[in-house]
Structures are given as structure tokens and as C-alpha cells.
Amino acid sequence: MSNNSQGLVTGEVAVGTLPQPVPTSSQGPPLSPSSTSKPPELPDELVQAGWAKCWSRRENRPYYFNRFTNQSLWEVPVLGQHDVISDPLGLNAAPAEGGDSNLGNGQRKRRISEEQGPGPNSMKRVKVEPTTPISPSTPGAKPWNSAPEDKPAQPATPTTPSAAPAVYRPAFIYWDLELQTNAVIREHPPDVNLLPPHPEIELQRAQLITKLRQHYHELCHQREGIDPPRESFNRWLLERKVIDKGHDPLLPSDCEPVVSPSMFREIMNDIPIRLARIKYKEEARKLLFKYAEAAKKMIDSRNASPDRRKVVKWNAEDTMNWLRRDHSASKEDYMDRLEHLRQQCGPHLTAVAKDSVEGICSKIYQLSADYSRRLRQTHLTLLQDSATEASASPQQSRLVYCYPVRLALPSPPLPRVELHFENDMACLRFKGEMVKVNRGHFSKLELLYRYSCIDDTRFEKFLSRVWCLLKRYQAMFGSGANEGTGLQGALPVAVFEALIRQFGVTFECFASPLNCYFKQFGSAFPDIDGFFGSRGPFLSFSPVSGSFEANPPFCEELMDSMVAHFEALLNKSSEPLSFIVFVPEWRNPVTPALTRMEASPFLRQQLNIPAFEHEYRSGSQHICKRDEMYYRAVHGTAVLFLQNDAGFAKWGPTPERVAELMAAYRPSQPASLSSAGPAPITPGEKDSTPKPAERTQSGGMSPVTHDDNNNTNRNTTPPTNTNTNTNTNTNNSCSSSSSSTTSPQEKMAAV
């Protein structure tokens, strides 16, 4: 729990201390093995760490076995003893007595001045100090049962646990949780609509999301005979939540319009077949034949007017006859012919498929709304059974430094979640459902929880809430390979360091506990992320002053709403307020958000970073390998500075500041060694090297390469003029209707 997350601001600059509510816990001490009249053979701390007393038949004497590490000892294990198997040199052992006791938990406070100079996207290397990992796999380690701060620590004995062990410190870190915020807001009461998370409810939500994905897959197959566009369901969730007024954190339930423009566009893009990026002449010939054949088959099987049927069948048969006659055509000839065929047949195919596709969108939304209502009723019933009462909090309008989201309803007792470690991964299991996170990010979550959580000082609910957090993001991402990882792409560490030094940035507008750099950030799920430092969704966050970084998921509806929110805040506040926005530089066509920012009266500076000349951190950084942490952006990035007059005077983009920011963006490794995104480009694509101004191929979520069809926007009525070049510019799948007029040749970039 952090005591500096809130502060009273009097006038403009004076900051006082905001009293925090007294932390209360509705749950008793940690569960221990059932006791009988016979005293326990091992302390509870050793049992929680995996130790058990066994009997050796060969030696006819007792010994002690750790089920987490497979370690066997003849003597009683000592609390704080290091694991000789995983740590033979004792580098992570508990610090010796007499050390510096002022740095509690073995933590050394880090400052930017103490770190290395800003190398090109370098990772901050920290000194590995003698600490004890926070996992129960190390004997004696039990951070979620720490002694209260107001009581003196007792010496460790076989029956008395030692004080909370030091936090595990990874060799490489990608965050700075020591930096305090400069974001000021008006104090507000806890949200009464947010229900405290519970593993039972989170498990049901994940199962319903999986079921909804399956329904979407079946509807696409049954009604249109196609596979659902890759990651279109993830983008549907994101696009719906921008306008959703329902109470479920993930399932849309109150949206207008019911038919999602994003999902409708993406399904239409794959009708009658999914188009692929073409590289060779033979592939272009096959694709043209398949399109003509599928168009003819589709118009015959639908209830179309005679005129529509005649136009489509005549053009399809004419194309087939041309393919039989001409065997010497070039790749460009085939692509021109395909473009002409789509111009002639596209409007008619769209007209006959419109009702069916709208039915798919409506059905998925109705199922989601029904699931949301049922899940909320189950959640409320569970809270009623736990007899929880809402905490009363007087509503005030003081200016305070931003603080994590608080819930009005207290959390009920949470069930037990098992934890074990497999190599460098922390595995949490609840009712057979296991989620994973690497040990570095697990220790990060522990620190965020210490700073932000005020109702669980003994860490009794820590593992249950970590499980809920990981399960929530896992359900949002999907289960496919690299699916959804673009939702959490982040800026490199060196860029954040430059933003801190030069522009006073202390807040991320779009992040999560897994990929955040600061301990204060905006995120999608305030009900669970709030325990780990989230200030809630930024579109609902109204700061009065501060310096912010915004790297939103690349969905055009979300980016457009973001710009409108920024301009409203800048227009309203006279205090220093600054937003540094990172968005893809999509120019063909240009996105409404980028157009609006470039014409904004608050725009102070705009930078353009070419494609493949900068990097992003992977959205799966909490589970990926270290050598997969960074990947090259396959599109250009536009950096825009939106500031009011006071913000420009304080954090204005001077040439010196801009030069350091651009230097920090230099890739950390050669292009030949850096990945172009989580998903490689397939051999069947039309062009192997996208142009700098091309749209992302990540499905509209992040600067990564995924399935091009998912972010290719297509107008239901093809344009009249014909473009004969083979430019592969693609559009984002979540783009608004005003930016959906691409030429048919540009729409070939779908996979």
C-alpha cells in the first residue's frame, strides 16, 4: 500500500496529505492444514513453502521433502535457507544479519540518475542483490503473510515465522515503479457499479467468452462458408467497449448501434473469399480463378434479383474464359483483372450478403448481453451470500494526486489459489485452470499490489487477484498463437526514460498491470486492475494537470474518442496539461483521429518515425522470452504533442528535447536480428516489404504483424476509378466509415 498515491492540492501548487481510509480485511488469517490434538510437525510457513516430513525405510529415520523443488533434507529446513538446486551459489538467499535494515524487503530504491545512460532501446540492468524470491518454492518465503509494520519483527524460530522476505529482483526490468505522479484530479467517491473480482466469477466469464467465440466461428461457417477473420472477435470487444454502457468489464451489453461496424466490415472483407497478399504470378492466377468461381457460386445460392445474378454470372464466366485463353499474362495483368472483377461484382455480392452478415453481428451481441446479465446476477448473489456491505465515503471535490480505483463494495473471502514455479514461470491454478506469468512480472505485480492495495495488507487475497487478473487478459486475448498480443504493445524502455527526463511524463493513458512502465496508469478493467495501480479507463479519467503518454490500441473508434477526450480536457483546464500521443501513421487513407490531431489548435509538434526504424515491446512480454521482447514496427509512427498554453510553457517540445526523444527511438539491434512482429509474413503475400506509410498488419490493435485481412477496410461499394499499381496499403479493421474508401487494388492486402 502506498502512502503517497494521494495528496491534497491547495490552489495550484501546494500539496498536502490526503488521509487514506483505514485498511480492513474481511478475511481471516491464511488457511493452514487441519489441526488435531497432536501438535503440527512443521511450522505453517514450511508447509506453505512445500515442505513435508516423510519417513525413510532404508535409513529408518525421518527426512524432509519439498514438493516444489524436489529437495530432500535430513535436518529440519531453516526459514530463509536458499534452494541449493535452483540457486547453488546462494545469490538469492536471505541477506545476512547486520545488513542495511533501512531498505525494507531488500529493495534498493532506483533513481534515473543511478541508471545507465539511455542506450538505444536498452534494458535497465539492475544489480542482483541477495534477496529471497517471493515464491513458496523457496523455504521460508511467504510475502503475503508479512508481519504488521507497527509490531517489531520477532526472531525466527521453528514455530515463529520470520518477517516478510525480500522481493525477488529480476536481472532485467522494464518498468520504474518508484516515480511519483504529477497527474492531479478531483477526488471522487468509490465506484458503486464495480463488483469486487472473484475467481469463481472470473472462471465463468472466461468460459462464456470462449463459448461466444465458438458461436461466432459457427455462424461464419454456417451462413457465409468462411472462417471468421483472424482476431476480429478481439477487435469487436475493443470497439464495443468504447461505446458500451453496461456494467460487465468484458462482455458488451448496452451498445448502440447493435450491429458492430468493425465486425460487419471484416466479415464483408472475406466475402466471397479471403484475399491473400500475392507474390508470384501463379498465385495471382489461382486467386483470380477462385474469386470468380466463389462469386458465381454465391450469387446462385442467394436470393438475388435477376439483374444482379446476370451481372455477376456474366463477369465471372468472362473471367474464366479469359483465364483459359490467355496463359502468358503477367502478375500485374491478373491483379488488374481481379480488381476489375471486384468492381463489377462487389456491390451485388454485398447487397445479397448484407442481411446475413448483420444477422451474425446482432446474434453475437445479443448472446453477449444475455451472458452479461446472467453473470452479473450470479456475482450479486455471491456477494449477498457473503454479507458484504458497501463502504460509506463522503463525496468531496478536492484536488488530489491521482490514486488507484477504489471499490465501494468490500471484497468477500476468496478461495485458495495454488502457486508453483516451473523454471522461470509462476503458475497459478484454480479448479484445474492454470495461468502463467514469468517471475519478473510476478514480482512486479507484487510490488504494484503493495503500492496500490489498501484492503489486503497481509496479502491474503493476492494470489486470487493475480489469478483473476491473468485470466481476464487471457480471455480477452484468445487462445490462438500470438492472438491478441498486439493489444498490449508498449514503447521501449529508452523512450520512456527520455519522456521522463525531457517532458516530465509520469502517467500512461493506455496500459495494464502487465505492461505498464509506471505504477500509475489507465487500463481497461478497473475492477481488477485497480488493486495493481490502475486509475481506470482513461476515457473516464479527467485529470486537471499533468504530463501523459498515450499509446492506444490501434482501433480507429478508440483513437477518435481519445482525441475528443484530450481536446475537451485541454480546453477545460488552465493548469499545465500535456499529452504525447503515439499513433500509426496511416495515410492511405488517413485516419480520422490523425486528421483531427493535425488540425487541433493544441498541436505543438509532430514527429514522424519511419517503418522498420523503431521498435515496440511485445504485448506478451509477461510470458515471452527475453530475446522476443522487442520487435520492429512494420509501419510509421506519428508522435504528436497536444498541450495547452501552460503545458507548452512547462513541457514544450524544444529542439533539444525532441532530439533526445528521437535518439531514444533508435533500434537496439540490427534489422536482421529484430523481429517484424509476433506473426511472420507468409510466403503467399503480395509484397514482402511494406511501404513506410502502410497500415499495420496487426489487426488494428498494435504495431505488429498479424493477419492483413483483419485490418483491411473495404467499402461495400467499390470506387469507380481503377488503380493498376500493386501498392499494398492496408487499413485498420476498426476504422470508421469515413475512412473506408480504399481502392480495390489496396484491398488485396488481406490474408
Side-chain angles (χ1 to χ4, degrees):
M1 179 178 65
S2 176
N3 292 329
N4 49 26
S5 61
Q6 303 180 20
L8 175 63
V9 178
T10 59
E12 299 181 359
V13 295
V15 178
T17 302
L18 177 68
Q20 295 186 0
V22 179
T24 59
S25 176
S26 60
Q27 187 175 358
L31 298 178
S32 60
S34 59
S35 60
T36 61
S37 59
K38 183 178 178 180
E41 296 180 346
L42 288 176
D44 181 61
E45 281 65 32
L46 293 180
V47 174
Q48 292 291 337
W51 289 99
K53 186 176 182 180
C54 306
W55 184 264
S56 173
R57 295 182 179 179
R58 184 184 65 182
E59 300 292 335
N60 196 27
R61 57 184 288 197
Y63 71 97
Y64 302 90
F65 176 74
N66 192 306
R67 59 190 177 93
F68 293 138
T69 64
N70 293 331
Q71 183 181 1
S72 299
L73 297 175
W74 291 114
E75 303 297 334
V76 179
V78 179
L79 294 175
Q81 181 183 16
H82 73 273
D83 185 358
V84 297
I85 297 178
S86 62
D87 187 18
L89 299 180
L91 297 179
N92 288 330
E97 296 182 1
D100 187 1
S101 60
N102 294 328
L103 300 179
N105 295 332
Q107 302 176 51
R108 184 177 72 88
K109 188 172 182 180
R110 295 176 289 106
R111 300 181 179 88
I112 293 182
S113 59
E114 298 175 343
E115 299 165 357
Q116 297 179 354
N121 292 350
S122 60
M123 295 172 293
K124 292 190 285 187
R125 296 177 178 268
V126 296
K127 179 180 178 181
V128 179
E129 300 179 359
T131 60
T132 302
I134 67 173
S135 67
S137 61
T138 301
K142 193 178 181 185
W144 40 86
N145 191 23
S146 57
E149 297 178 358
D150 55 346
K151 295 183 180 180
Q154 301 178 358
T157 65
T159 58
T160 303
S162 60
V167 176
Y168 170 77
R169 296 181 66 85
F172 298 92
I173 59 175
Y174 304 91
W175 50 84
D176 186 354
L177 306 183
E178 304 293 336
L179 195 65
Q180 304 303 316
T181 184
N182 58 18
V184 177
I185 62 173
R186 291 200 173 274
E187 188 178 9
H188 54 82
D191 195 333
V192 296
N193 294 319
L194 296 178
L195 304 182
H198 195 283
E200 291 281 0
I201 301 300
E202 208 58 51
L203 181 59
Q204 293 183 36
R205 180 178 287 112
Q207 293 171 348
L208 292 175
I209 287 289
T210 301
K211 187 177 180 180
L212 195 62
R213 290 179 185 271
Q214 184 62 30
H215 278 301
Y216 180 46
H217 188 276
E218 293 174 355
L219 286 173
C220 289
H221 268 283
Q222 293 172 0
R223 298 195 179 189
E224 301 300 332
I226 60 173
D227 289 330
R230 186 180 179 185
E231 293 209 49
S232 62
F233 186 86
N234 296 339
R235 287 187 295 278
W236 174 77
L237 285 175
L238 185 62
E239 180 261 338
R240 293 279 88 183
K241 294 308 291 183
V242 174
I243 60 175
D244 185 32
K245 299 179 181 178
H247 298 310
D248 191 87
L250 190 56
L251 289 166
S253 59
D254 187 6
C255 301
E256 186 65 34
V258 172
V259 176
S260 165
S262 170
M263 181 177 285
F264 180 84
R265 271 195 311 269
E266 294 193 42
I267 298 177
M268 280 295 186
N269 287 344
D270 284 0
I271 294 176
I273 64 170
R274 174 175 296 181
L275 300 178
R277 298 184 67 184
I278 301 303
K279 190 174 182 180
Y280 302 107
K281 181 181 74 172
E282 292 76 10
E283 295 173 346
R285 178 183 176 87
K286 291 180 181 179
L287 183 64
L288 176 59
F289 181 81
K290 289 181 179 180
Y291 187 92
E293 186 179 42
K296 182 179 178 181
K297 181 179 179 181
M298 178 179 176
I299 204 68
D300 284 336
S301 61
R302 301 297 177 96
N303 185 20
S305 64
D307 292 338
R308 295 188 187 278
R309 196 184 308 273
K310 179 179 179 180
V311 171
V312 172
K313 292 182 68 174
W314 185 90
N315 281 278
E317 291 173 355
D318 181 65
T319 300
M320 292 180 180
N321 293 332
W322 179 78
L323 287 171
R324 297 187 187 101
R325 293 193 311 267
D326 194 344
H327 298 278
S328 60
S330 64
K331 170 191 168 183
E332 288 72 21
D333 294 334
Y334 290 127
M335 297 307 298
D336 291 343
R337 189 79 186 196
L338 178 58
E339 185 177 341
H340 173 75
L341 183 61
R342 294 190 64 186
Q343 273 193 330
Q344 298 299 320
C345 300
H348 306 289
L349 298 178
T350 298
V352 298
K354 179 181 178 182
D355 293 341
S356 176
V357 175
E358 287 181 347
I360 295 176
C361 300
S362 300
K363 182 65 175 179
I364 295 300
Y365 171 76
Q366 292 167 3
L367 288 173
S368 174
D370 181 58
Y371 292 164
S372 175
R373 287 190 293 268
R374 289 161 45 188
L375 191 63
R376 185 169 181 85
Q377 185 61 41
T378 304
H379 202 165
L380 291 173
T381 302
L382 185 147
L383 295 179
Q384 291 174 359
D385 295 340
S386 302
T388 58
E389 296 182 359
S391 59
S393 177
Q395 184 173 2
Q396 304 180 19
S397 59
R398 300 180 299 177
L399 292 177
V400 298
Y401 286 119
C402 66
Y403 53 91
V405 173
R406 306 302 185 203
L407 306 185
L409 291 175
S411 176
L414 300 181
R416 181 186 178 90
V417 170
E418 298 178 359
L419 169 69
H420 71 277
F421 286 80
E422 297 177 358
N423 298 325
D424 196 40
M425 301 297 294
C427 306
L428 295 89
R429 185 187 301 273
F430 174 72
K431 289 191 174 182
E433 292 287 332
M434 186 169 65
V435 292
K436 296 183 179 182
V437 62
N438 63 51
R439 290 189 67 173
H441 280 75
F442 187 70
S443 67
K444 174 190 179 183
L445 293 176
E446 194 268 347
L447 286 174
L448 288 172
Y449 198 77
R450 286 181 185 273
Y451 289 138
S452 306
C453 182
I454 63 173
D455 70 340
D456 186 28
T457 57
R458 298 188 61 184
F459 277 63
E460 296 166 350
K461 305 172 184 177
F462 172 69
L463 291 181
S464 297
R465 287 170 173 171
V466 171
W467 188 91
C468 291
L469 172 75
L470 296 174
K471 196 64 179 178
R472 177 78 59 82
Y473 281 95
Q474 184 185 78
M476 185 179 186
F477 287 166
S479 57
N482 292 321
E483 185 178 3
T485 57
L487 283 170
Q488 292 204 110
L491 299 178
V493 170
V495 176
F496 272 115
E497 293 174 343
L499 291 175
I500 295 170
R501 283 191 299 267
Q502 301 300 324
F503 302 100
V505 172
T506 62
F507 193 103
E508 295 169 85
C509 299
F510 302 91
S512 76
L514 299 174
N515 78 334
C516 65
Y517 185 84
F518 307 110
K519 65 182 177 183
Q520 51 273 344
F521 55 90
S523 67
F525 307 122
D527 61 322
I528 181 63
D529 295 348
F531 296 107
F532 300 90
S534 172
R535 274 55 173 168
F538 196 82
L539 297 182
S540 303
F541 185 76
S542 300
V544 176
S545 67
S547 183
F548 301 84
E549 174 268 344
N551 179 31
F554 295 164
C555 169
E556 292 196 20
E557 285 84 358
L558 175 59
M559 291 191 293
D560 201 30
S561 299
M562 172 197 71
V563 177
H565 187 57
F566 286 171
E567 290 186 334
L569 294 175
L570 291 167
N571 190 53
K572 182 178 179 181
S573 176
S574 59
E575 301 296 323
L577 192 58
S578 170
F579 298 99
I580 304 179
V581 186
F582 298 79
V583 293
E585 191 180 6
W586 293 334
R587 295 291 181 182
N588 193 8
V590 66
T591 61
L594 186 57
T595 302
R596 184 169 181 174
M597 284 190 289
E598 290 177 338
S600 174
F602 300 103
L603 179 65
R604 306 295 180 172
Q605 179 77 19
Q606 179 174 350
L607 308 176
N608 297 318
I609 306 175
F612 296 101
E613 295 186 12
H614 60 293
E615 296 177 331
Y616 284 86
R617 274 186 295 144
S618 172
S620 60
Q621 58 182 275
H622 59 288
I623 55 175
C624 72
K625 299 178 181 178
R626 186 156 56 89
D627 56 358
E628 300 173 352
M629 182 64 67
Y630 287 98
Y631 57 85
R632 293 293 176 94
V634 297
H635 58 76
T637 295
V639 184
L640 302 101
F641 294 77
L642 302 180
Q643 300 169 331
N644 60 9
D645 293 338
F648 178 68
K650 188 172 184 179
W651 300 299
T654 63
E656 296 78 11
R657 291 174 174 176
V658 170
E660 180 168 345
L661 178 60
M662 295 296 291
Y665 242 129
R666 293 169 186 165
S668 59
Q669 53 186 342
S672 58
L673 302 178
S674 181
S675 171
I681 298 175
T682 58
E685 292 171 341
K686 182 168 64 173
D687 289 325
S688 58
T689 306
K691 308 301 184 295
E694 287 181 338
R695 297 281 174 104
T696 178
Q697 300 154 27
S698 65
M701 292 303 178
S702 170
V704 294
T705 301
H706 277 310
D707 193 328
D708 287 340
N709 180 61
N710 303 332
N711 54 357
T712 303
N713 235 339
R714 182 173 70 191
N715 195 347
T716 56
T717 304
T720 56
N721 57 344
T722 301
N723 186 3
T724 58
N725 62 35
T726 57
N727 186 9
T728 61
N729 290 344
T730 59
N731 198 356
N732 187 281
S733 64
C734 297
S735 63
S736 60
S737 59
S738 62
S739 63
S740 60
T741 55
T742 59
S743 68
Q745 187 66 32
E746 293 164 347
K747 299 165 191 169
M748 300 299 100
V751 176

